[in-house]
Amino acid sequence: MNALLTVRVRYFAALREALGTEEQVQMPSNSTLGELRDQLIGRGGEHARLLARGRALRCALDQVMADESAGLRDGAEVAFFPPVTGG
């Protein structure tokens, strides 16, 4: 049996308006950031629409920008947010 880890998922900008500020998510140990995104997409509804593959989305793991191959650890903080545009 695969052990579970718990991560804190935070949403920013338009994601926050639709999905809320944050939530706790359980994942199998040895999961990646990309697998977390896929699990959230699998919920359907707003999660599927806003986190969908092909949408521009930035991720941070423990407040450091990360790509989806980054491994998760128990107690990690993951943030999802749209890319910032300059002006």
Side-chain angles (χ1 to χ4, degrees), residues 19 40-53 55:
L19 302 176
L40 293 170
I41 290 168
R43 292 180 176 179
E46 289 295 283
H47 282 86
R49 184 177 72 81
L50 294 169
L51 302 174
R53 296 290 172 191
R55 280 188 73 101

Side-chain angles (χ1 to χ4, degrees), residues 2-5 26-32 35 39 72:
N2 216 2
L4 294 178
L5 53 87
Q26 287 196 316
M27 295 290 296
S29 61
N30 301 320
S31 292
T32 65
E35 290 167 335
Q39 179 171 308
L72 300 175

Side-chain angles (χ1 to χ4, degrees), residues 50-87:
L50 294 169
L51 302 174
R53 296 290 172 191
R55 280 188 73 101
L57 193 66
R58 303 292 306 265
C59 315
L61 179 59
D62 293 325
Q63 300 182 7
V64 177
M65 296 305 297
D67 67 32
E68 293 194 2
S69 65
L72 300 175
R73 65 166 182 78
D74 192 48
E77 177 187 272
V78 174
F80 289 107
F81 49 95
V84 177
T85 58

